[in-house]
Amino acid sequence: MTDLETRTAGRPGAPGPPGALRRAAPALLGYAAVRALGLLALALWSAARDKSAYTLLTARWDSLWYTRVAELGYGYEVRLPNGDVHSNLAFFPLLPWLERLGAAVSPLSYADAGFVVSLLASLAAAWGIFAVADHVYDRRVGGCAVLLWAVLPVGVVQSMAYSESLFTALAAWSLYAVLTGRWVTAGILASLAGLTRPVGLAVTAAVWVAAVVAFGRDRNGLDDRDGPDGRDRARRVLGMLLAPLGAAGYVLWVGHRTGKGPLGYLDVQAGWRNGFDGGAAFARFVAAKFTSFPAALAGVGLIVGVALLVRLYVVCVRQRQPLPLLVYTGIVTVLALCASSYFGSKPRLLLPAFPLLLPLALGLARLRTSRSAPVVCAVAVASAAYGAFWLNGSGPP
């Protein structure tokens, strides 16, 4: 058990929902302020370019695919001139289900419901990030972690009708449930995360690793309690069984739907030219940048960015973050960087890897408020401007 795991395992039970919400309130208010700034910047920038900010948030790229699933169900596909087939089976169902539910119980359209889901999910994600960081470190680090997640350069995606916010919320709360020994809750949330994005397997892996380690402590007599509780073990097993059901169920259904068996979903992704190649395609993409100038500067920036991610993960390991966080973050990062998907998507695919921000949050928390506040404000303004520029341009695919 790591130092941080020992510290968190020995803490008393978490406060109830009202107390927990009061504890997280300053962080959530700060998060809402940053996102409001980002939306204001987007509205002003879009108006100057005679565009609709709301359309940019709800009716472009993946947002359209999700609303088509909500409205028409699965089976829609686009055949490209080069022979590629873009099928909506590539999109996991939880967000479209929620969009359909929102449209059914309210006057909202599917796109409107997707926007509302993302806004609420982003707040839930911020709260989950706070809960994890507060549990592992303290309240101040939790608040800093939330603000850092809010001011990420691609933070505008958190307000789009995409699945990143929903997935991050489910992942963060599942990890918190693991850290606090709520195994069934962790398994249910991991299963829902698996119904949201393919990377849900990272949450399942975190639940399984934590459970296996807990069983090992029981066997070796290292558990802090007087003796392993049979009911706790049963809940742990149940959590492990529940965790993979969402992702496995959808993947198997796609295989049955396509008639290609358990690997049918991989064929669907191949139609989008998505797959896991160990980072070879990404490396070729970066190398191609060095064939001209100023594209070479972008190549240098990409290399520096990847090096920073690796460095942050190494720091997470050295700071002895709890094993479930390390497993989850490692898988999310590897899948984002080593997939052959469209390279412009990689920054948003890394949004759920919030534990990478904890070392930065720890450093920020050590500064006096008089020094940290101007830094956060300046970065928030830069993030808002960049998000407005990005979404009014090529934007996130």
Side-chain angles (χ1 to χ4, degrees):
M1 187 184 295
T2 67
D3 292 343
L4 284 178
E5 285 174 316
T6 303
R7 188 190 315 166
T8 57
R11 288 188 176 181
L21 182 56
R22 285 195 299 270
R23 185 173 179 84
L28 296 182
L29 289 174
Y31 175 80
V34 172
R35 293 288 359 109
L37 176 64
L39 293 177
L40 176 61
L42 177 63
L44 295 175
W45 200 301
S46 301
R49 295 175 60 88
D50 197 26
K51 292 184 178 181
S52 167
Y54 189 70
T55 299
L56 295 177
L57 292 168
T58 62
R60 295 180 75 188
W61 304 295
D62 288 9
S63 299
L64 290 175
W65 285 92
Y66 282 119
T67 55
R68 287 193 187 107
V69 173
E71 181 178 6
L72 305 173
Y74 285 105
Y76 176 81
E77 62 183 29
V78 175
R79 295 183 177 272
L80 303 183
N82 64 357
D84 289 345
V85 178
H86 289 184
S87 168
N88 66 359
L89 289 169
F91 295 87
F92 276 51
L94 185 57
L95 178 56
W97 286 349
L98 294 175
E99 290 177 343
R100 183 177 296 177
L101 176 62
V105 301
S106 73
L108 298 176
S109 67
Y110 296 116
D112 295 336
F115 181 63
V116 171
V117 168
S118 291
L119 289 183
L120 295 177
S122 67
L123 285 171
W127 190 3
I129 292 169
F130 172 85
V132 170
D134 180 32
H135 185 78
V136 174
Y137 294 102
D138 57 39
R139 183 179 184 179
R140 186 173 175 85
V141 176
C144 290
V146 169
L147 291 175
L148 288 174
W149 192 66
V151 302
L152 288 174
V154 293
V156 68
V157 176
Q158 298 164 17
S159 301
M160 296 179 69
Y162 271 39
S163 62
E164 272 74 17
S165 289
L166 179 59
F167 175 80
T168 304
L170 294 167
W173 282 109
S174 179
L175 291 169
Y176 178 75
V178 167
L179 295 176
T180 55
R182 297 170 170 87
W183 297 102
V184 176
T185 300
I188 292 173
L189 293 173
S191 184
L192 291 173
L195 284 171
T196 307
R197 298 188 62 81
V199 76
L201 66 90
V203 190
T204 297
V207 173
W208 275 64
V209 166
V212 169
V213 170
F215 280 123
R217 289 202 303 268
D218 289 348
R219 180 173 301 177
N220 295 326
L222 298 179
D223 200 292
D224 291 336
R225 297 164 297 183
D226 293 335
D229 183 4
R231 287 178 297 178
D232 184 67
R233 286 189 172 191
R235 288 192 292 267
R236 201 180 299 159
V237 171
L238 181 56
M240 294 178 70
L241 294 176
L242 289 170
L245 291 184
Y250 181 68
V251 168
L252 292 175
W253 179 81
V254 170
H256 174 74
R257 172 78 178 248
T258 59
K260 297 183 179 180
L263 300 181
Y265 183 76
L266 297 181
D267 290 336
V268 170
Q269 286 284 10
W272 287 81
R273 295 188 179 269
N274 291 338
F276 186 85
D277 63 1
F282 187 41
R284 290 194 297 270
F285 175 79
V286 174
K289 296 293 183 182
F290 291 93
T291 59
S292 63
F293 188 86
L297 297 178
V300 172
L302 289 170
I303 292 174
V304 171
V306 172
L308 176 60
L309 289 173
V310 174
R311 172 63 178 171
L312 283 175
Y313 188 77
V314 170
V315 174
C316 290
V317 174
R318 289 180 175 175
Q319 291 182 348
R320 303 175 73 85
Q321 283 187 13
L323 185 59
L325 298 187
L326 295 175
V327 170
Y328 166 78
T329 307
I331 294 176
V332 171
T333 304
V334 168
L335 289 179
L337 295 180
C338 297
S340 57
S341 56
Y342 176 64
F343 305 109
S345 300
K346 293 189 181 296
R348 72 174 175 87
L349 296 180
L350 286 164
L351 272 177
F354 67 89
L356 286 174
L357 299 174
L358 296 186
L360 299 177
L362 186 60
L364 186 63
R366 290 170 176 167
L367 298 177
R368 292 181 178 178
T369 303
S370 59
R371 297 183 61 184
S372 62
V375 172
V376 172
C377 290
V379 176
V381 171
S383 173
Y386 179 76
F389 166 77
W390 190 37
L391 205 53
N392 274 277
S394 60

